[in-house]
Amino acid sequence: MTDWGTRAATAADVEALVEVRAVAMRADLERLGRYDEHRVRQRMRDGFVAAHTRVIEVDGALAGSVALRPADDAHWLEHFYLAPHAQGRGIGGAVLAALLDTADREGHRVRLNVLQGSPARRLYERHGFVLEREDPVDVYLVREPRPRYGWFGGESGVRVGA
């Protein structure tokens, strides 16, 4: 795997992240007949909240984003996009695993929606997300927090004291 990390997003990141989103979503939106060059960018601008967003960097350069927005009964995973050069290298899975580890420690359910037919759905299902509902455009998935066992947070997966 490539050298990657995340950092807190700032307002100055939004336009670069808007472009990553536009490129990352284009094929799926075109397949659904919903690609609009302006709308794909504006939706990211309208939904961007730096306080909930992490910038994903690969080899020191901006390569994507992920946001976890608190809501009443869950946290919403949003704006999870990787530039094409960063896809297929295990980075998305590693970012998602780290984010879910934190959600598990804090006891948070995580929800998301993904476009119908998107290959990203398989990634989410591998990480424990299950179907909640769907419509002609979106699939809504949910993942309950996983209990942590063991001496120091359950890295071994061995339940102690049961």
Side-chain angles (χ1 to χ4, degrees):
M1 186 179 339
T2 305
D3 182 32
W4 68 273
T6 68
R7 65 169 173 79
T10 69
D13 293 314
V14 71
E15 288 306 314
L17 296 176
V18 160
E19 291 309 311
V20 170
R21 180 184 197 270
V23 171
M25 298 223 25
R26 185 173 189 138
D28 281 336
L29 289 170
E30 285 179 340
R31 178 179 44 75
L32 294 169
R34 299 182 61 87
Y35 183 78
D36 176 300
E37 193 170 314
H38 173 72
R39 186 169 184 233
V40 72
R41 289 169 172 83
Q42 194 59 46
R43 284 185 59 126
M44 177 78 174
R45 289 181 189 112
D46 292 345
F48 179 79
V49 177
H52 302 304
T53 306
R54 303 288 300 173
V55 171
I56 301 165
E57 294 181 331
V58 176
D59 295 329
L62 184 144
S65 66
V66 64
L68 196 61
R69 178 181 52 85
D72 289 339
D73 69 338
H75 280 50
W76 280 87
L77 188 139
E78 301 174 321
H79 305 300
F80 190 13
Y81 308 112
L82 281 175
H85 75 274
Q87 294 176 12
R89 298 164 64 181
I91 297 165
V95 169
L96 184 58
L99 182 141
L100 293 174
D101 185 57
T102 299
D104 288 346
R105 276 196 317 275
E106 296 173 359
H108 297 299
R109 170 185 300 125
V110 179
R111 285 195 163 93
L112 62 86
N113 65 294
V114 63
L115 290 172
Q116 285 283 2
S118 172
R121 180 176 177 175
R122 289 189 305 275
L123 170 69
Y124 298 129
E125 288 173 339
R126 282 194 308 271
H127 285 268
F129 284 86
V130 296
L131 179 66
E132 189 168 41
R133 63 187 167 88
E134 59 187 308
D135 62 35
V137 176
D138 290 307
V139 176
Y140 294 84
L141 304 173
V142 63
R143 181 182 180 276
E144 297 297 327
R146 303 232 170 120
R148 299 179 55 86
Y149 304 110
W151 290 75
F152 298 104
E155 290 81 11
S156 68
V158 176
R159 188 172 185 158
V160 177

